Amino acid sequence: MYSLDEASIMKKNQLEIKNLTLFRGNRCLFKDLSFAINNGEVVIVKGDNGSGKTSLLRAVAGLIEPDHGCVYWNKKDITNIRQLYHQNMVWLSHKHGFKGQLNIEENLYYESGLREGFSNSFDETFEKLSLTSIKHQPFNTLSAGQKMRASIARLILSKASLCLLDEPTSNLDTKGRDFVNFWINYHINNGGMCILATHQSSPIKSSIKEIVLS
Amino acid sequence: MNSFKELSMWNGFKKMLYRDLLHSTKNLSQLMNPLLLFILISASFPFAINIDENQLMIIGPGVIWVIAILSFLLTLNNLYKDDMEDGSLDYMLLSAQPLPVLTFAKILAHWFLSGLPLVILCPFVSVFYQLSIDVSMLLSLTLLIGTLALSLIGSIGASLTISSQNNTTLLSLLVLPITIPILIFGAKTVVLYQNGHTSLTGLYLIGAYCMFALSFSPFVSAASLRIGSD
């Protein structure tokens, strides 16, 4: 099993979203949305396609400036403590952010420069995600499911306490899906936090808050 | 000690530079196209106009500079566009490293693979214009400093236009006016040297322009990337 020996996960953290309002064009995606998430909690964001799940995650990550409201990490506005916040946060989306011509190992080697404490145990993680046989293959030759597995490898290796996951189980086979669900449960039980945007009902056993966007 | 090493900005800078260089070398056609354009236009120019050796020597530096700038402008589009499309720009923006450090690494990688090859090719291209060795070396030197300044300035333009769909023309329109001083001083320096004047004044001026661009370009690029990713 795992050894998440990362102190930052154990440290008490809180993410608070206050009165978040976001417009896309003239359409209001959500208005005055507030919630908080503490260690060991999961927030599941549900909604139809185009209801603003990804936009909400992007706003929480700090990629989009919301029209109104703020995101606070440990009571501090994230726009003032970007580096500290991003050190504790990892993002997973359908755009994997890996270079197509480079292989998984080269891509992850680059990622390890982007944050402190990025794990070196590449091989161990590849083994768990059945990526070992394809780790030297260029990323754009991989299948959609394999690409998602590579993204999940980054998630695990980054050892961040807050995970923002946009459809983490899309394109995965049953084994892969089981592993992701197992990992999220494991992460939460170790004091991590997750915000999960998904269509599927998720078998996460821990304390769950649900947000439904319409 | 180990954790300090991992924290360092140098680590992020180094890995960004390494990834971009590696990525570009695996994308050879993208790398070669502007260079081939540079060689082809420079080589065909003397054949198209029927003038004698002395006149060719006079127009040579100016023509090479213009072609270098235009072929260089073509490469700017790829600076952030690729990252935007495959989503790695998001991960760059979400990294714990200061963004200007990463943009500076990207600019430098871009210059290594787009500017430096032009500088290396310059002495060979000069042969078509009957330029003597010292003149072509000086031309290369002005291009060396000039293309670095262009990479820095161009990065601002490229980061400002990432969110627009068809940005090549817009980018050229935006960047070209700012690059005119480099073109004037770059070409003029070589012409002055050919006429027996000192080349130092021109070199100092392009150098100053380059340093000026260096002082703010990574920061401005980083800021406009944040806005543009919205």
Side-chain angles (χ1 to χ4, degrees):
Chain A
M1 284 294 135
Y2 280 110
S3 56
L4 280 179
D5 49 350
E6 190 55 29
S8 74
I9 289 186
M10 304 306 168
K11 224 177 84 183
K12 264 215 150 340
N13 287 315
Q14 192 202 32
L15 180 79
E16 200 178 1
I17 282 93
K18 268 190 190 159
N19 304 325
L20 211 62
T21 305
L22 190 71
F23 284 88
R24 269 295 178 248
N26 290 324
R27 204 161 70 91
C28 178
L29 291 178
F30 42 85
K31 204 176 177 191
D32 287 333
L33 184 70
S34 299
F35 63 91
I37 167 168
N38 296 300
N39 292 58
E41 288 182 342
V42 191
V43 172
I44 295 189
V45 184
K46 285 190 168 170
D48 302 332
N49 292 29
S51 59
K53 295 190 295 292
T54 303
S55 298
L56 173 62
L57 285 193
R58 287 180 76 87
V60 172
L63 283 170
I64 317 182
E65 192 84 13
D67 292 284
H68 187 254
C70 281
V71 180
Y72 298 94
W73 175 254
N74 294 335
K75 311 272 180 220
K76 290 188 189 97
D77 190 337
I78 58 158
T79 49
N80 299 331
I81 50 156
R82 268 187 206 282
Q83 275 164 257
L84 178 72
Y85 177 56
H86 291 155
Q87 174 59 42
N88 288 291
M89 188 212 81
V90 63
W91 156 264
L92 181 144
S93 73
H94 58 278
K95 272 191 183 176
H96 301 287
F98 287 132
K99 286 284 163 206
Q101 278 85 355
L102 307 185
N103 64 38
I104 301 176
E105 213 169 37
E106 288 162 342
N107 272 307
L108 286 172
Y109 174 73
Y110 154 70
E111 290 287 334
S112 69
L114 293 184
R115 57 173 71 242
E116 92 185 84
F118 200 88
S119 172
N120 291 324
S121 53
F122 284 13
D123 288 335
E124 196 187 324
T125 313
F126 290 160
E127 197 66 50
K128 285 192 179 97
L129 287 160
S130 10
L131 288 168
T132 313
S133 57
I134 48 165
K135 69 177 180 181
H136 292 304
Q137 230 170 292
F139 186 72
N140 55 12
T141 62
L142 304 181
S143 76
Q146 289 169 329
K147 284 179 181 171
M148 187 47 98
R149 281 166 194 271
S151 263
I152 291 161
R154 160 167 54 203
L155 190 73
I156 295 172
L157 290 166
S158 69
K159 292 189 189 169
S161 63
L162 172 65
C163 299
L164 303 183
L165 314 176
D166 191 3
E167 304 277 357
T169 50
S170 66
N171 295 323
L172 285 183
D173 51 21
T174 327
K175 205 176 138 211
R177 215 169 313 173
D178 287 347
F179 179 79
V180 170
N181 290 329
F182 160 77
W183 186 79
I184 294 174
N185 275 313
Y186 176 82
H187 183 67
I188 299 306
N189 292 336
N190 277 277
M193 336 172 179
C194 267
I195 302 184
L196 192 70
T198 182
H199 303 289
Q200 292 143 351
S201 57
S202 182
I204 309 290
K205 299 170 200 94
S206 327
S207 64
I208 296 180
K209 294 174 187 173
E210 241 183 49
I211 294 170
V212 181
L213 298 175
S214 54
Chain B
M1 194 60 204
N2 194 30
S3 67
F4 173 75
K5 210 171 132 196
E6 303 245 339
L7 226 170
S8 73
M9 283 188 241
W10 170 239
N11 193 25
F13 178 84
K14 192 176 65 181
K15 285 180 178 167
M16 184 87 214
L17 189 69
Y18 174 73
R19 184 201 69 165
D20 265 25
L21 291 177
L22 193 67
H23 176 243
S24 299
T25 47
K26 294 199 176 178
N27 238 338
L28 270 183
S29 65
Q30 210 180 51
L31 197 71
M32 293 305 291
N33 280 342
L35 296 178
L36 280 176
L37 194 75
F38 176 68
I39 297 171
L40 288 177
I41 302 180
S42 321
S44 50
F45 203 90
F47 295 114
I49 46 168
N50 210 357
I51 49 176
D52 65 44
E53 207 174 285
N54 286 333
Q55 282 170 310
L56 206 56
M57 269 164 70
I58 296 166
I59 61 161
V63 171
I64 293 177
W65 252 99
V66 170
I67 302 168
I69 283 199
L70 290 180
S71 58
F72 195 75
L73 278 179
L74 289 178
T75 64
L76 280 177
N77 200 20
N78 303 327
L79 190 48
Y80 299 111
K81 196 77 181 167
D82 284 353
D83 283 5
M84 177 86 171
E85 272 158 15
D86 64 21
S88 52
L89 186 67
D90 285 348
Y91 287 90
M92 207 173 120
L93 294 172
L94 294 178
S95 85
Q97 294 283 359
L99 197 52
V101 173
L102 300 179
T103 50
F104 184 49
K106 279 192 80 70
I107 294 168
L108 219 54
H110 174 257
W111 178 72
F112 269 128
L113 293 164
S114 306
L116 210 53
L118 285 183
V119 176
I120 295 165
L121 285 175
C122 180
F124 299 102
V125 167
S126 305
V127 174
F128 295 108
Y129 296 86
Q130 316 276 339
L131 300 181
S132 58
I133 292 176
D134 53 337
V135 173
S136 74
M137 283 301 149
L138 180 65
L139 185 60
S140 298
L141 186 61
T142 57
L143 273 176
L144 182 84
I145 310 170
T147 46
L148 184 57
L150 279 176
S151 273
L152 289 159
I153 296 289
S155 154
I156 299 175
S159 58
L160 279 172
T161 52
I162 42 161
S163 50
S164 68
Q165 285 300 315
N166 215 337
N167 61 4
T168 322
T169 332
L170 183 64
L171 178 59
S172 305
L173 273 176
L174 205 66
V175 174
L176 200 60
I178 321 172
T179 59
I180 294 297
I182 313 175
L183 176 66
I184 294 172
F185 291 123
K188 193 74 182 171
T189 305
V190 185
V191 175
L192 279 176
Y193 178 77
Q194 280 174 317
N195 295 336
H197 299 283
T198 175
S199 58
L200 277 179
T201 328
L203 285 176
Y204 285 155
L205 270 165
I206 331 173
Y209 194 94
C210 183
M211 285 301 124
F212 176 61
L214 184 67
S215 68
F216 68 85
S217 167
F219 300 96
V220 178
S221 307
S224 45
L225 281 179
R226 277 219 193 281
I227 299 165
S229 74
D230 210 320

